[in-house]
């Protein structure tokens, strides 16, 4: 099972989602990665506020590097989780067929099918990052439980 987490910049939300899910499925044969739909920060480490909130919860995401989502990711991954509806739309617009499109889901729909979004914390205060961490953590707990069973 290969899982890709996607947001806009791949420096705030999806690096957290990658780190959180990896932490939960440690020891299981699953690949977890993240990417951004935009290429503003390619090659950069995650935002220091994401690094800090992850570290505060015992997870090191500092060695991750930003990359852009590619059409090839549809071949490499079984599940592609978008953090918000804009990311979802951008990924779906690159899908080549129904099989590609069926892999794409909104992350928080793992918690409840209400099409809720993980808000973009980039322009937010530090507090926003803890809220985002908790939302992603709740969804990843459900994903990890499904993968392990
Ligand atoms: P992310 O947040 O999509 O959660 O990584 C953002 C990071 C950077 C930008 C936008 C959102 N940006 O415009 O540079």
């Amino acid at each position: 099972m290969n899982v890709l987490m996607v947001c806009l910049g791949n420096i705030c939300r999806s690096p957290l989602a990658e780190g959180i899910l990896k932490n939960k499925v440690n020891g299981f044969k699953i690949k977890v990665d993240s990417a951004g739909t935009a290429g503003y920060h390619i090659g950069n480490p995650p935002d220091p506020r994401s690094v800090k909130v992850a570290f505060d919860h015992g997870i090191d995401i500092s060695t991750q590097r930003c990359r852009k989502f590619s059409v090839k990711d549809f071949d490499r991954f079984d599940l592609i989780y978008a953090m918000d509806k804009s990311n979802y739309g951008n990924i779906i617009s690159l899908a080549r067929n129904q099989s590609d499109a069926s892999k794409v889901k909104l992350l928080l729909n793992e918690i409840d099918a209400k099409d809720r979004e993980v808000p973009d914390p980039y322009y937010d205060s530090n507090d926003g990052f803890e809220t985002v961490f908790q939302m992603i953590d709740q969804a990843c707990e459900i994903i990890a439980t499904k993968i392990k069973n």
Side-chain angles (χ1 to χ4, degrees):
M1 177 62 70
N2 298 332
V3 181
L4 183 66
M5 302 295 193
V6 182
C7 61
L8 175 62
N10 190 214
I11 56 165
C12 296
R13 293 165 291 177
S14 59
L16 279 175
E18 176 187 336
I20 291 168
L21 186 59
K22 269 186 181 159
N23 189 250
K24 290 183 190 294
V25 298
N26 191 18
F28 283 76
K29 209 169 178 288
I30 110 160
K31 182 166 98 178
V32 185
D33 194 12
S34 66
T37 57
Y40 314 132
H41 303 277
I42 292 171
N44 291 349
D47 186 288
R49 296 165 295 177
S50 282
V51 174
K52 181 179 184 306
V53 79
F55 191 77
D56 288 346
H57 292 274
I59 300 170
D60 181 7
I61 64 166
S62 65
T63 59
Q64 290 184 31
R65 292 297 176 265
C66 171
R67 74 170 180 89
K68 193 173 177 195
F69 180 83
S70 145
V71 172
K72 289 193 193 120
D73 287 320
F74 287 116
D75 300 323
R76 297 186 189 122
F77 296 92
D78 306 295
L79 284 168
I80 299 170
Y81 285 108
M83 299 299 124
D84 65 31
K85 291 175 192 169
S86 169
N87 315 144
Y88 179 89
N90 287 331
I91 304 164
I92 286 287
S93 71
L94 296 172
R96 299 158 298 186
N97 49 49
Q98 187 50 39
S99 165
D100 286 356
S102 68
K103 296 179 176 184
V104 190
K105 300 170 192 306
L106 268 179
L107 180 72
L108 297 189
N109 276 355
E110 289 290 348
I111 304 170
D112 52 39
K114 292 180 177 168
D115 289 346
R116 290 188 298 129
E117 303 181 293
V118 181
D120 183 350
Y122 188 59
Y123 297 103
D124 210 334
S125 66
N126 290 329
D127 297 352
F129 283 74
E130 176 62 27
T131 307
V132 157
F133 183 97
Q134 293 301 337
M135 288 173 148
I136 294 172
D137 187 66
Q138 207 187 337
C140 287
E141 187 64 34
I142 294 164
I143 297 167
T145 302
K146 281 188 194 170
I147 288 173
K148 289 179 186 177
N149 289 309

